[in-house]
Amino acid sequence: MKYPKLREIKGALTSLFTRPYTTKFPKQPHIPFSSFRGKPQYDEEKCIGCAACVNVCPAFALSFEDIHDEIESKRVFTIKWDVCIECGQCQLNCPTEEGIVLSQEFDISTTETRADLIQRIEKEMIVCECCDELIACKDHLLWTMEKVGPLYTSNTTLITFAQRRLSVSDHLPSSKESLRSDRFTILCPRCRREAVVAS
Ligand code: SF4
Ligand code: SF4
């Protein structure tokens, strides 16, 4: 028989006169520490749709799908909470620091299906007016303009985008051939190069 060490005896005696380390959950609600990393949640207003979070998620809990048809152009983001390991990489690498935030919520057990453990958000996308390819999310362009300030005026797509928002410029039908006349339209990088350099 091995006798307990003095350290263990001291710990056992001390615990008789101190409060327990454990909480009374689930009898009483558990309040996590302020630095606790719980369930991540997208903020549809503050997310700019850049997809950086999807690229850094080690558990593949985040994904996005671009939908582009005659009716709409949007990027749909999905979090699968049952796959997430709550590592915090998504929040750490979010350029706005608020697009996705880990909450204090830890209890995501459900008696329903896995479909209950999903959050989806949608972001409107901007399309190249020449080749019809997707360029970026609208909020991403707005965020970029705000970040670079007046420097955005050196980018023709951003100027045109800003003018459209202020209704001081009309969308002219594109020649669809990336010719010089298309320079003052919203173009993807490939069409911009063709319109400016090749034509
Ligand atoms: S906390 Fe980690 S695992 Fe969960 S969604 Fe964010 S990056 Fe992915
Ligand atoms: S803004 Fe943040 S939350 Fe939104 S897609 Fe980019 S990294 Fe993800």
Side-chain angles (χ1 to χ4, degrees):
M1 176 184 172
K2 286 187 181 174
Y3 293 101
K5 294 179 191 167
L6 282 176
R7 188 184 60 186
E8 276 79 24
I9 294 172
K10 185 181 166 200
L13 289 174
T14 309
S15 69
L16 289 175
F17 303 100
T18 52
R19 293 180 59 191
Y21 287 106
T22 52
T23 64
K24 295 191 184 306
F25 180 83
K27 206 170 175 184
Q28 290 177 5
H30 172 66
I31 301 168
F33 290 108
S34 56
S35 57
F36 177 79
R37 295 197 306 247
K39 184 173 106 178
Q41 280 183 304
Y42 276 120
D43 184 324
E44 198 157 2
E45 294 296 314
K46 291 173 180 161
C47 169
I48 57 173
C50 68
C53 53
V54 177
N55 287 318
V56 298
C57 177
F60 304 107
L62 303 177
S63 60
F64 73 88
E65 182 189 6
D66 289 342
I67 297 172
H68 180 39
D69 54 34
E70 287 171 1
I71 302 165
E72 58 188 354
S73 300
K74 63 183 181 183
R75 179 167 284 177
V76 182
F77 288 90
T78 305
I79 302 180
K80 290 182 178 170
W81 286 314
D82 56 335
V83 178
C84 171
I85 56 174
E86 294 168 359
C87 64
Q89 284 301 309
C90 49
Q91 182 177 347
L92 197 66
N93 289 281
C94 175
T96 70
E97 299 177 2
E98 296 174 307
I100 187 165
V101 175
L102 271 67
S103 67
Q104 296 266 298
E105 208 175 321
F106 60 88
D107 187 7
I108 58 167
S109 54
T110 177
T111 54
E112 305 299 327
T113 65
R114 286 185 143 193
D116 290 351
L117 300 174
I118 282 178
Q119 183 196 13
R120 282 201 178 87
I121 62 161
E122 296 180 0
K123 306 299 295 181
E124 182 185 340
M125 292 206 81
I126 300 298
V127 176
C128 174
E129 292 174 351
C130 192
C131 72
D132 206 34
E133 281 295 313
L134 294 169
I135 300 177
C137 289
K138 180 179 160 191
D139 288 343
H140 198 171
L141 293 189
L142 289 170
W143 181 80
T144 305
M145 288 162 68
E146 200 177 303
K147 275 277 171 196
V148 299
L151 288 176
Y152 85 81
T153 51
S154 61
N155 182 299
T156 317
T157 289
L158 291 180
I159 296 177
T160 313
F161 177 62
Q163 287 176 338
R164 297 271 170 79
R165 293 190 76 234
L166 294 170
S167 304
V168 294
S169 139
D170 285 334
H171 169 48
L172 300 172
S174 168
S175 64
K176 300 284 180 191
E177 290 174 2
S178 297
L179 297 176
R180 228 170 164 73
S181 57
D182 288 331
R183 287 175 71 172
F184 290 95
T185 54
I186 293 175
L187 298 178
C188 67
R190 187 180 61 81
C191 290
R192 172 75 54 210
R193 191 181 68 245
E194 284 184 22
V196 175
V197 179
S199 62

